[in-house]
Amino acid sequence: MKKFIILISGRGSNMGALLKAYKEGHLQAEPALVISNRSQAPGLETARSFGVRTEFISFKDGRAGEQRTIELAREVGAEFIVLAGFMRVLTETLINAFPNRIINIHPSLLPAFPGLHAQKQALDYGVRVSGCTTHFVNAGVDTGPTIQQRVVEVKPDDTEETLSARILAEEHGLIVETVNLLATNRLSTEEGREVTVLTADNADERR
Ligand code: GRF
C-alpha cells in the first residue's frame, strides 16, 4: 500500500476524514505523517488521537520548510502529498520533488473563487451553485489541473457558515475518493491540463 503525508494549518477536518477512512479500511493508501505549519493547529491533536505521527515545520522560511517536508516525506516513504487546509502557496522546490503527486482540496468549483473565503466569494457573487474541487498543485493559487468536483446548491437564506458547512460535508467524501484514485494509479495528466480518471483495467496496466 502506498504511503502519503498530509499538510495542514488548522482544524484538519479533511485530514480527519482521511484518517477515519483509513482506520475503517476505506482508504487505499496509508497516511504516514501529518505536518502542520502552525504548532497549535487543532488538527495535530486529532492526528495524534488516530496514532499518526505529527511534525511542526514553521515554513517562515518557505524554502527550508519545503526542503524539510521533502526530507520527512522520503524518510517515511511517502509517494504523494495531500494539502488539506494548508495555508501556504508551494514553490517549485516541493512541486518538482513530487511531480503530479501533490493534491489540494478547495471549497469552490474552480476556476471560480480561488484563494481565501471562497464560500463568501460565492455568496457575494450570487451564484446558484458552488461546491468543492480537488486538483493537482502547481505554483499558482488554486490553479492546477482539476481532478474531481462536487456541486452544492446555494440556498437563498445561506450564510457563509451554512454554505461552508454543506460544502465541507462534501469535501470530506471527495478527498477520500480522490486519494483513492491517486493511490490506485487512476489519474493521468498526460494530456496537459486535463486529468483523466482511468478505469480499473487501464490503471492495472500502469502499475
Ligand atoms: C477546507 O474548506 C478546504 O477546502 C480549504 O481549507 C479548509 C480546511 O478545512 N482548503 P479543514 O482544516 O480540513 O477542516
Side-chain angles (χ1 to χ4, degrees):
M1 190 179 265
K2 285 185 179 155
K3 292 182 180 170
F4 70 103
I5 65 174
I6 306 171
L7 269 54
I8 64 167
S9 296
R11 177 178 58 184
S13 71
N14 279 287
M15 172 212 73
L18 288 168
L19 301 188
K20 181 168 178 279
Y22 178 71
K23 188 179 169 190
E24 294 174 352
H26 305 310
L27 201 66
Q28 289 165 278
E30 179 189 338
L33 172 68
V34 170
I35 294 173
S36 173
N37 68 323
R38 296 198 181 128
S39 60
Q40 301 305 315
L44 287 173
E45 195 43 52
T46 310
R48 285 184 211 117
S49 74
F50 277 92
V52 175
R53 176 179 167 190
T54 61
E55 293 281 346
F56 159 65
I57 299 178
S58 98
F59 275 85
K60 283 209 173 97
D61 176 345
R63 195 177 157 77
E66 292 192 8
Q67 269 161 352
R68 180 73 185 129
T69 301
I70 295 166
E71 270 173 32
L72 285 169
R74 297 209 169 121
E75 185 186 311
V76 301
E79 291 186 51
F80 62 92
I81 298 176
V82 176
L83 308 188
F86 185 63
M87 307 301 282
R88 300 270 321 191
V89 177
L90 300 185
T91 74
E92 307 290 344
T93 302
L94 185 51
I95 293 166
N96 291 345
F98 285 86
N100 288 332
R101 286 288 175 271
I102 307 176
I103 62 169
N104 180 45
I105 183 151
H106 182 77
S108 74
L109 296 176
L110 291 172
F113 315 129
L116 294 175
H117 309 298
Q119 304 93 333
K120 181 170 189 303
Q121 290 185 56
L123 282 177
D124 289 349
Y125 197 93
V127 290
R128 301 290 181 249
V129 294
S130 189
C132 48
T133 302
T134 50
H135 65 93
F136 283 114
V137 171
N138 61 17
V141 177
D142 304 318
T143 51
T146 300
I147 302 172
Q148 290 185 294
Q149 297 187 303
R150 284 195 185 180
V151 175
V152 173
E153 189 189 345
V154 180
K155 298 187 176 164
D157 57 350
D158 259 334
T159 62
E160 187 180 356
E161 289 69 33
T162 58
L163 179 60
S164 299
R166 287 207 314 289
I167 293 175
L168 192 65
E170 292 300 322
E171 290 185 46
H172 293 165
L174 186 68
I175 195 146
V176 169
E177 243 184 57
T178 299
V179 164
N180 278 335
L181 289 175
L182 186 59
T184 54
N185 305 314
R186 290 178 64 194
L187 297 178
S188 162
T189 49
E190 280 163 23
E191 312 294 325
R193 279 193 61 82
E194 195 185 330
V195 177
T196 311
V197 178
L198 302 164
T199 64
D201 288 350
N202 286 342
D204 283 343
E205 286 162 21
R206 284 166 180 265
R207 271 179 234 276

Tab-separated table of all heavy atoms in Angstrom, residues 7-35:
chain	number	residue	atom	x	y	z
A	7	LEU	N	-0.527	17.789	4.747
A	7	LEU	CA	-0.107	19.092	5.263
A	7	LEU	C	-1.340	19.893	5.675
A	7	LEU	O	-2.284	20.038	4.875
A	7	LEU	CB	0.675	19.862	4.183
A	7	LEU	CG	2.198	19.673	4.143
A	7	LEU	CD1	2.574	18.212	4.046
A	7	LEU	CD2	2.806	20.468	3.004
A	8	ILE	N	-1.333	20.400	6.883
A	8	ILE	CA	-2.468	21.173	7.390
A	8	ILE	C	-1.974	22.485	8.013
A	8	ILE	O	-0.768	22.643	8.255
A	8	ILE	CB	-3.268	20.392	8.468
A	8	ILE	CG1	-2.403	20.133	9.721
A	8	ILE	CG2	-3.806	19.078	7.905
A	8	ILE	CD1	-3.191	19.653	10.927
A	9	SER	N	-2.938	23.380	8.284
A	9	SER	CA	-2.605	24.606	9.027
A	9	SER	C	-3.543	24.828	10.201
A	9	SER	O	-3.286	25.695	11.032
A	9	SER	CB	-2.692	25.839	8.114
A	9	SER	OG	-1.747	25.778	7.089
A	10	GLY	N	-4.666	24.111	10.247
A	10	GLY	CA	-5.652	24.463	11.273
A	10	GLY	C	-6.479	23.300	11.771
A	10	GLY	O	-5.964	22.310	12.276
A	11	ARG	N	-7.787	23.429	11.563
A	11	ARG	CA	-8.769	22.483	12.090
A	11	ARG	C	-8.523	21.037	11.670
A	11	ARG	O	-8.669	20.115	12.469
A	11	ARG	CB	-10.133	22.976	11.574
A	11	ARG	CG	-11.323	22.157	11.909
A	11	ARG	CD	-12.557	22.844	11.364
A	11	ARG	NE	-12.464	23.043	9.895
A	11	ARG	CZ	-13.354	23.678	9.157
A	11	ARG	NH1	-14.416	24.211	9.737
A	11	ARG	NH2	-13.188	23.812	7.857
A	12	GLY	N	-8.205	20.835	10.425
A	12	GLY	CA	-7.846	19.488	9.975
A	12	GLY	C	-9.008	18.530	9.833
A	12	GLY	O	-8.832	17.322	9.988
A	13	SER	N	-10.202	19.039	9.453
A	13	SER	CA	-11.326	18.096	9.341
A	13	SER	C	-11.209	17.225	8.088
A	13	SER	O	-11.620	16.057	8.104
A	13	SER	CB	-12.674	18.828	9.389
A	13	SER	OG	-12.886	19.560	8.220
A	14	ASN	N	-10.646	17.753	7.007
A	14	ASN	CA	-10.421	16.909	5.823
A	14	ASN	C	-9.376	15.835	6.127
A	14	ASN	O	-9.538	14.682	5.731
A	14	ASN	CB	-9.991	17.764	4.626
A	14	ASN	CG	-11.171	18.418	3.954
A	14	ASN	OD1	-11.944	17.760	3.271
A	14	ASN	ND2	-11.339	19.716	4.186
A	15	MET	N	-8.329	16.239	6.844
A	15	MET	CA	-7.345	15.260	7.310
A	15	MET	C	-8.037	14.195	8.153
A	15	MET	O	-7.799	12.995	7.979
A	15	MET	CB	-6.266	15.976	8.138
A	15	MET	CG	-5.297	15.061	8.841
A	15	MET	SD	-4.721	15.784	10.398
A	15	MET	CE	-6.194	15.609	11.421
A	16	GLY	N	-8.909	14.639	9.059
A	16	GLY	CA	-9.629	13.710	9.925
A	16	GLY	C	-10.458	12.718	9.109
A	16	GLY	O	-10.536	11.534	9.438
A	17	ALA	N	-11.067	13.221	8.021
A	17	ALA	CA	-11.869	12.328	7.159
A	17	ALA	C	-10.977	11.258	6.542
A	17	ALA	O	-11.376	10.089	6.438
A	17	ALA	CB	-12.561	13.147	6.063
A	18	LEU	N	-9.772	11.632	6.157
A	18	LEU	CA	-8.830	10.654	5.583
A	18	LEU	C	-8.380	9.645	6.631
A	18	LEU	O	-8.338	8.440	6.364
A	18	LEU	CB	-7.614	11.380	4.997
A	18	LEU	CG	-7.870	12.158	3.702
A	18	LEU	CD1	-6.698	13.078	3.380
A	18	LEU	CD2	-8.134	11.195	2.546
A	19	LEU	N	-8.066	10.131	7.834
A	19	LEU	CA	-7.585	9.209	8.880
A	19	LEU	C	-8.699	8.247	9.290
A	19	LEU	O	-8.460	7.055	9.527
A	19	LEU	CB	-7.077	9.991	10.097
A	19	LEU	CG	-5.932	10.985	9.837
A	19	LEU	CD1	-5.393	11.541	11.151
A	19	LEU	CD2	-4.823	10.367	9.023
A	20	LYS	N	-9.930	8.747	9.341
A	20	LYS	CA	-11.068	7.890	9.697
A	20	LYS	C	-11.283	6.831	8.608
A	20	LYS	O	-11.486	5.657	8.904
A	20	LYS	CB	-12.318	8.766	9.854
A	20	LYS	CG	-13.572	8.034	10.236
A	20	LYS	CD	-14.652	9.046	10.650
A	20	LYS	CE	-15.956	8.349	11.007
A	20	LYS	NZ	-16.768	7.996	9.832
A	21	ALA	N	-11.227	7.275	7.348
A	21	ALA	CA	-11.422	6.325	6.243
A	21	ALA	C	-10.349	5.239	6.290
A	21	ALA	O	-10.631	4.054	6.055
A	21	ALA	CB	-11.384	7.054	4.897
A	22	TYR	N	-9.123	5.641	6.607
A	22	TYR	CA	-8.032	4.643	6.685
A	22	TYR	C	-8.305	3.654	7.814
A	22	TYR	O	-8.202	2.444	7.640
A	22	TYR	CB	-6.692	5.351	6.892
A	22	TYR	CG	-5.555	4.375	7.023
A	22	TYR	CD1	-5.115	3.648	5.928
A	22	TYR	CD2	-4.931	4.158	8.249
A	22	TYR	CE1	-4.090	2.719	6.038
A	22	TYR	CE2	-3.905	3.234	8.380
A	22	TYR	CZ	-3.488	2.519	7.264
A	22	TYR	OH	-2.481	1.603	7.386
A	23	LYS	N	-8.692	4.208	8.963
A	23	LYS	CA	-8.957	3.351	10.134
A	23	LYS	C	-10.068	2.354	9.839
A	23	LYS	O	-10.024	1.198	10.276
A	23	LYS	CB	-9.350	4.257	11.312
A	23	LYS	CG	-9.469	3.544	12.630
A	23	LYS	CD	-9.824	4.510	13.727
A	23	LYS	CE	-10.218	3.764	14.986
A	23	LYS	NZ	-10.793	4.687	15.975
A	24	GLU	N	-11.056	2.806	9.060
A	24	GLU	CA	-12.205	1.936	8.771
A	24	GLU	C	-11.980	1.054	7.539
A	24	GLU	O	-12.884	0.339	7.111
A	24	GLU	CB	-13.456	2.799	8.597
A	24	GLU	CG	-13.839	3.479	9.903
A	24	GLU	CD	-14.997	4.460	9.774
A	24	GLU	OE1	-15.436	4.737	8.625
A	24	GLU	OE2	-15.444	4.956	10.817
A	25	GLY	N	-10.784	1.132	6.969
A	25	GLY	CA	-10.460	0.258	5.833
A	25	GLY	C	-10.986	0.739	4.497
A	25	GLY	O	-11.086	-0.050	3.555
A	26	HIS	N	-11.331	2.043	4.382
A	26	HIS	CA	-11.864	2.557	3.119
A	26	HIS	C	-10.845	3.343	2.308
A	26	HIS	O	-11.182	3.920	1.272
A	26	HIS	CB	-13.071	3.470	3.366
A	26	HIS	CG	-14.159	2.834	4.153
A	26	HIS	ND1	-14.665	1.595	3.838
A	26	HIS	CD2	-14.825	3.256	5.257
A	26	HIS	CE1	-15.607	1.285	4.712
A	26	HIS	NE2	-15.712	2.267	5.591
A	27	LEU	N	-9.618	3.432	2.799
A	27	LEU	CA	-8.611	4.234	2.097
A	27	LEU	C	-7.535	3.296	1.573
A	27	LEU	O	-7.033	2.452	2.314
A	27	LEU	CB	-8.010	5.274	3.051
A	27	LEU	CG	-7.349	6.470	2.386
A	27	LEU	CD1	-8.395	7.317	1.650
A	27	LEU	CD2	-6.620	7.339	3.408
A	28	GLN	N	-7.181	3.505	0.294
A	28	GLN	CA	-6.222	2.580	-0.328
A	28	GLN	C	-4.790	3.105	-0.289
A	28	GLN	O	-3.968	2.778	-1.140
A	28	GLN	CB	-6.687	2.269	-1.744
A	28	GLN	CG	-7.934	1.383	-1.696
A	28	GLN	CD	-8.640	1.334	-3.023
A	28	GLN	OE1	-9.412	2.225	-3.376
A	28	GLN	NE2	-8.360	0.312	-3.787
A	29	ALA	N	-4.508	3.955	0.699
A	29	ALA	CA	-3.141	4.427	0.948
A	29	ALA	C	-3.042	4.721	2.442
A	29	ALA	O	-4.054	4.976	3.102
A	29	ALA	CB	-2.847	5.678	0.139
A	30	GLU	N	-1.809	4.686	2.921
A	30	GLU	CA	-1.629	4.851	4.375
A	30	GLU	C	-1.140	6.254	4.719
A	30	GLU	O	-0.075	6.662	4.252
A	30	GLU	CB	-0.602	3.818	4.862
A	30	GLU	CG	-0.347	3.928	6.355
A	30	GLU	CD	0.829	3.068	6.806
A	30	GLU	OE1	1.190	2.103	6.101
A	30	GLU	OE2	1.393	3.394	7.864
A	31	PRO	N	-1.883	6.990	5.550
A	31	PRO	CA	-1.401	8.299	5.996
A	31	PRO	C	-0.262	8.106	7.002
A	31	PRO	O	-0.483	7.641	8.110
A	31	PRO	CB	-2.619	8.943	6.669
A	31	PRO	CG	-3.645	7.882	6.803
A	31	PRO	CD	-3.169	6.623	6.158
A	32	ALA	N	0.962	8.453	6.569
A	32	ALA	CA	2.134	8.108	7.381
A	32	ALA	C	2.568	9.248	8.298
A	32	ALA	O	3.267	9.016	9.287
A	32	ALA	CB	3.289	7.710	6.471
A	33	LEU	N	2.168	10.456	7.973
A	33	LEU	CA	2.665	11.622	8.720
A	33	LEU	C	1.771	12.819	8.439
A	33	LEU	O	1.329	13.020	7.305
A	33	LEU	CB	4.099	11.928	8.237
A	33	LEU	CG	4.760	13.214	8.730
A	33	LEU	CD1	5.048	13.152	10.224
A	33	LEU	CD2	6.062	13.446	7.955
A	34	VAL	N	1.521	13.618	9.484
A	34	VAL	CA	0.809	14.888	9.318
A	34	VAL	C	1.764	16.014	9.701
A	34	VAL	O	2.356	15.993	10.785
A	34	VAL	CB	-0.464	14.936	10.198
A	34	VAL	CG1	-1.057	16.342	10.208
A	34	VAL	CG2	-1.493	13.921	9.712
A	35	ILE	N	1.926	16.978	8.799
A	35	ILE	CA	2.791	18.131	9.067
A	35	ILE	C	1.906	19.377	9.157
A	35	ILE	O	1.023	19.572	8.315
A	35	ILE	CB	3.822	18.328	7.928
A	35	ILE	CG1	4.802	17.158	7.897
A	35	ILE	CG2	4.568	19.651	8.093
A	35	ILE	CD1	5.754	17.173	6.692
